[in-house]
Amino acid sequence: MTTDVGLGEPQLVTIAADEDVVRVRQLVRTVAVAAKLSLVDQTKLVTAASELARNTLVYGGGGGAEVTVVDSGRRKGIRIVFADDGPGIADLDLALTDGYTTGGGLGLGLSGARRLVDEFDIDTAAGRGTRITVTKWAR
Amino acid sequence: MDRVPVLKIGDLLLVSIQVDMQDQTALALQEDLAERIVATGCHGVIIDITALDIVDSFVGRMLSSIASISRVLDAETVVVGMRPAVAITLVELGLSLDGIRTALNVERGIELLAQAREPETPDDLGIDLDLDRFGPATS
């Protein structure tokens, strides 16, 4: 894995097993440090990435995470896209409710991850997979 | 898969998590600890998370489970060494770690467990026995 972070060059991690969630965390951490996010923001982004990568694995049946350094012109940020071809989410409002779970977890993954990032976009429908895009900006 | 070592020190079990745990490692630790509590008859467990740069909902749930399991097995658990950025992120994620005792470091954790275990002595109750009333001690 390269620690070189080129602006706009996406880095892809395939999420197919438990240890891939760890790899996503490590990559996001490396990129967040390189983009000079504060320690608290690094921690929030890595935590959000961990939740979403686990969702991709557990609910989406595996997929991938794509990490990109983005630049708004004013500041740098990190964008991560989590995509899977799983069953999708039928009731998005419900899935984004604190404490709601179908997988026996705490039901904080999706709703908690949304609170930890600056931008959160989700594209899903039953039978169409799920694509979640999150962005965290350096302050 | 990595395994987190469980060390016995006196009447305590000490777990210092030094690796970025994959979910299976966290589950294995939960089981190992339960077995060691029963095998050793220890009444206190200290989990040192100084080295963890994130605690996501999965690890948070593991910590809560360990605290509950050990309580049922007559042992108290104290989680020590949480980083400030991790604490901030946990709260925003929505995890309150209910039922988990925490201390700033291992030393304070040991003190906390000792206090929890010791029966209250008259001194602790603030009662002054004033032994001088019975004359000076002869020795």
Side-chain angles (χ1 to χ4, degrees):
Chain A
M1 191 177 75
T2 173
T3 51
D4 234 22
V5 182
L7 195 65
E9 264 174 56
Q11 299 189 63
L12 188 75
V13 178
T14 303
I15 303 172
D18 231 17
E19 61 259 31
D20 296 329
V21 177
V22 178
R23 286 172 56 223
V24 170
R25 286 202 288 262
Q26 288 167 348
L27 173 64
V28 172
R29 163 77 60 187
T30 306
V31 176
V33 170
K36 297 198 166 55
L37 259 63
S38 73
L39 181 59
V40 171
D41 284 342
Q42 287 170 30
T43 307
K44 287 180 179 178
L45 183 62
V46 176
T47 306
S50 184
E51 300 292 346
L52 296 173
R54 184 178 295 107
N55 281 358
T56 299
L57 180 66
V58 174
Y59 299 101
E66 201 179 78
V67 184
T68 317
V69 177
V70 289
D71 198 330
S72 71
R74 270 192 321 119
R75 50 189 183 170
K76 272 191 184 178
I78 294 161
R79 179 161 296 149
I80 316 172
V81 179
F82 296 88
D84 67 62
D85 295 319
I89 302 170
D91 189 338
L92 194 54
D93 285 342
L94 192 58
L96 280 165
T97 306
D98 268 355
Y100 176 78
T101 180
T102 56
L106 294 172
L108 289 174
L110 212 51
S111 53
R114 183 162 70 161
R115 282 192 291 272
L116 293 174
V117 296
D118 296 321
E119 289 164 28
F120 183 96
D121 180 68
I122 184 163
D123 180 14
T124 185
R128 215 162 49 73
T130 302
R131 186 180 169 89
I132 296 176
T133 307
V134 298
T135 311
K136 188 90 182 162
W137 296 103
R139 270 162 235 294
Chain B
M1 185 186 81
D2 294 313
R3 259 190 135 80
V4 179
V6 179
L7 309 175
K8 181 178 181 297
I9 301 173
D11 188 35
L12 299 175
L13 293 177
L14 176 65
V15 180
S16 187
I17 303 173
Q18 298 288 334
V19 292
D20 190 341
M21 290 186 295
Q22 49 175 285
D23 294 357
Q24 285 305 319
T25 307
L27 291 175
L29 172 60
Q30 203 170 299
E31 289 167 22
D32 287 350
L33 250 181
E35 277 175 25
R36 288 297 299 276
I37 290 170
V38 172
T40 60
C42 282
H43 294 299
V45 177
I46 291 183
I47 301 177
D48 177 22
I49 58 167
T50 312
L52 288 191
D53 52 24
I54 69 151
V55 171
D56 64 9
S57 65
F58 194 89
V59 171
R61 184 159 64 122
M62 175 208 74
L63 293 174
S64 290
S65 301
I66 286 177
S68 304
I69 292 166
S70 52
R71 197 164 301 132
V72 173
L73 297 173
D74 193 25
E76 272 302 320
T77 302
V78 181
V79 172
V80 306
M82 186 180 294
R83 299 182 186 186
V86 171
I88 292 168
T89 302
L90 263 183
V91 170
E92 202 157 323
L93 183 64
L95 271 182
S96 53
L97 298 187
D98 282 336
I100 298 183
R101 285 166 170 252
T102 55
L104 283 183
N105 53 43
V106 173
E107 200 175 358
R108 297 239 184 128
I110 292 173
E111 282 170 19
L112 191 64
L113 287 173
Q115 280 168 19
R117 201 65 201 169
E118 252 171 39
E120 285 180 335
T121 60
D123 253 12
D124 291 333
L125 296 172
I127 297 167
D128 184 5
L129 284 176
D130 196 9
L131 295 170
D132 285 349
R133 261 193 310 178
F134 304 106
T138 49
S139 60

